[in-house]
Structures are given as structure tokens and as C-alpha cells.
Amino acid sequence: MIEIRSLKFGYPDTDFSLRIPDFHVGTQEKVAVIGPSGSGKTTLLNLVAGILVPEQGTVRCGGREVSALGDAARRDFRITRIGFVFQDFELLDYLNVLDNVLHPYRITRALKLTKEVHDRAGELLQQMGLGDKLTRGVERLSQGEKQRVAICRALLPSPQLVLADEATGNLDPRNKGHILDLLFDAVQAHESTLLAVTHDHELLPRFDRIVDFNDFLGADLA
Ligand code: ADP
Ligand code: MG
């Protein structure tokens, strides 16, 4: 599902440099990414999603070379194929809970907002314990509630690939297990692949494989 080769990426005017010689994630694999803060975990997810473009090397995702697509094609690819749960949620404060979850459908023609999708959004929010807050503005939600809205928005289009950036970071322990169950169930049901950054070591046994960013630090490219 994900294939990265000889990747080099740096932000302009910074010393940070990410080098990944070789990184693969198989179809339907569930992979956890761990590593120190600032090591580039979020940067990696952004490269996989085509939000960032590498200086060198290739990023292939679902058989497409994301790093070679133009801006518009990369955006459509991301919205239709990838469910991204951002570390800072990236919810729209001026929209209510339901409209945040439906928003991807309103900004691209590549997704069709049907009655079925609308109903499924309601069901998903219900499962996440937000059934009574569909019309509430997201600025009036707790951090944990915002996170659950972000997860619902990512899952609604049944993406091939789910990228989750510390998706359980703001949840209390009781909620954490439950939300993770829902995330894993959705990934399983839609035969999606999961790449998740996490600091929760107790969650790691639930993944097929763990990738430690320490292994990329100081990596040389062939
Ligand atoms: P992690 O998610 O592992 O904590 P990040 O991928 O967010 O790490 O960041 C890696 C490094 O790149 C950090 O040093 C961070 O300060 C820097 N960085 C992240 N985003 C930007 C940006 N937009 N511009 C410049 N530097 C950035
Ligand atoms: Mg991060």
C-alpha cells in the first residue's frame, strides 16, 4: 500500500532532514509508528498523504506515485483514498459536528454526498458517542470529542489507507480503548491499511508491526 524509496525531505530554512532509504507497508497491514518528538513522524504521514512532496526519492501509495502527481490530483487522491486524523484535528470551527464530518464531500466532486452517506455519518457519530451533539459547533467540544469528530471525518469515505497522528492522544483511558476498537473495526471492515503514530505503548500489541523512527535517524541513502 505504501512504498517509499530513497526519500529525502527538509523544511526550508531549517536543519531538519528526514531520510528514509526504504519503507513499505503492505495492504491491510496495521503499523504503529513510534519515535521521539521532532523526529519527523508527522512529516512522514504528510509525505505519504501527498501534503508534502519529497526533495528526492519516491512515495507510492495504493499503486500511485503520489510524489509525481500535480497539486489538484494529489488533493483529490488524498480526499478520496486517504483518511487522515490530524494531530491537531484540523476541524472547522465555524461548522457543527455533522458538517465537519461531511465537509470532504462538499469540497470535491470526487466524493458524492448521497442520503446513504449522510445516514452513515450520523451512525458513525452515534457509535463514537456523539449522537446527541450533531448540531453542536465544534468549538464547544472537549479535546476528546474533537478527536472523535476528526476520526469520523477520516473514516466516512471508507478510505483504503487511514493515517492517524496520535489519534488517541487526547482521550481518557476508558474512551481510548473504545475509540481504538472502533478505529480498528472500521479499518478491518473496509479492508483498509492503517499507519498510526502513537505514544501509547499499551496500544502497540494491537498492531501487526512497529516502526521506530530512531531507525531512520542518521540513515544514509543508497
Ligand atoms: P514529530 O511528529 O515526530 O514530532 P514533526 O514531523 O512534526 O515531528 O517535525 C519534525 C521536525 O520538523 C521538527 O524539528 C519540527 O520542528 C520541524 N517542522 C515541522 N513542521 C515544520 C514546518 N512546517 N516548517 C518548518 N519546520 C517544521
Ligand atoms: Mg507529530
Side-chain angles (χ1 to χ4, degrees):
M1 173 58 62
I2 303 172
E3 222 180 282
I4 293 178
R5 291 236 167 84
S6 309
L7 178 136
K8 186 172 171 226
F9 175 84
Y11 292 101
D13 308 316
T14 68
D15 295 339
F16 175 75
S17 167
L18 180 63
R19 287 157 196 269
I20 302 181
D22 208 6
F23 176 71
H24 289 246
V25 176
T27 303
Q28 295 186 44
E29 213 181 355
K30 297 180 191 65
V31 175
V33 176
I34 60 170
S37 177
S39 58
K41 304 180 298 297
T42 296
T43 304
L44 171 68
L45 296 193
N46 283 322
L47 286 159
V48 171
I51 294 168
L52 296 172
V53 180
E55 277 159 42
Q56 283 176 31
T58 53
V59 178
R60 296 183 70 84
C61 186
R64 300 277 286 279
E65 189 175 336
V66 190
S67 45
L69 297 174
D71 286 349
R74 271 208 325 277
R75 181 173 167 277
D76 277 352
F77 175 81
R78 177 167 73 248
I79 296 175
T80 55
R81 309 289 187 85
I82 296 178
F84 204 141
V85 185
F86 295 95
Q87 192 165 13
D88 52 1
F89 319 132
E90 301 201 8
L91 299 177
L92 297 166
D93 278 343
Y94 56 91
L95 294 179
N96 69 26
V97 167
L98 181 62
D99 286 331
N100 262 282
V101 172
L102 296 176
H103 189 251
Y105 286 82
R106 294 186 166 132
I107 57 169
T108 176
R109 282 192 208 156
L111 293 174
K112 293 268 172 295
L113 182 52
T114 60
K115 178 167 186 314
E116 191 266 332
V117 170
H118 210 277
D119 291 348
R120 208 147 42 79
E123 280 165 33
L124 205 51
L125 284 160
Q126 183 84 40
Q127 285 168 2
M128 292 276 180
L130 293 166
D132 58 343
K133 298 197 172 76
L134 299 190
T135 58
R136 183 179 287 198
V138 291
E139 82 281 11
R140 289 175 49 231
L141 297 178
S142 71
Q143 291 296 98
E145 287 169 338
K146 286 183 186 178
Q147 200 148 28
R148 285 181 273 153
V149 176
I151 291 171
C152 289
R153 181 182 58 186
L155 293 178
L156 186 62
S158 302
Q160 290 176 316
L161 174 64
V162 176
L163 300 174
D165 204 350
E166 303 188 31
T168 54
N170 289 291
L171 302 171
D172 58 79
R174 199 169 50 89
N175 253 322
K176 199 181 282 181
H178 175 59
I179 300 300
L180 206 76
D181 286 341
L182 292 172
L183 189 62
F184 271 84
D185 287 351
V187 163
Q188 202 77 40
H190 297 115
E191 304 184 338
S192 309
T193 305
L194 175 65
L195 183 64
V197 175
T198 182
H199 279 127
D200 276 312
H201 285 250
E202 77 262 33
L203 300 180
L204 295 180
R206 305 181 66 156
F207 290 86
D208 299 322
R209 187 156 63 90
I210 299 164
V211 173
D212 188 343
F213 247 72
N214 284 307
D215 298 344
F216 296 139
L217 299 174
D220 275 332
L221 296 182

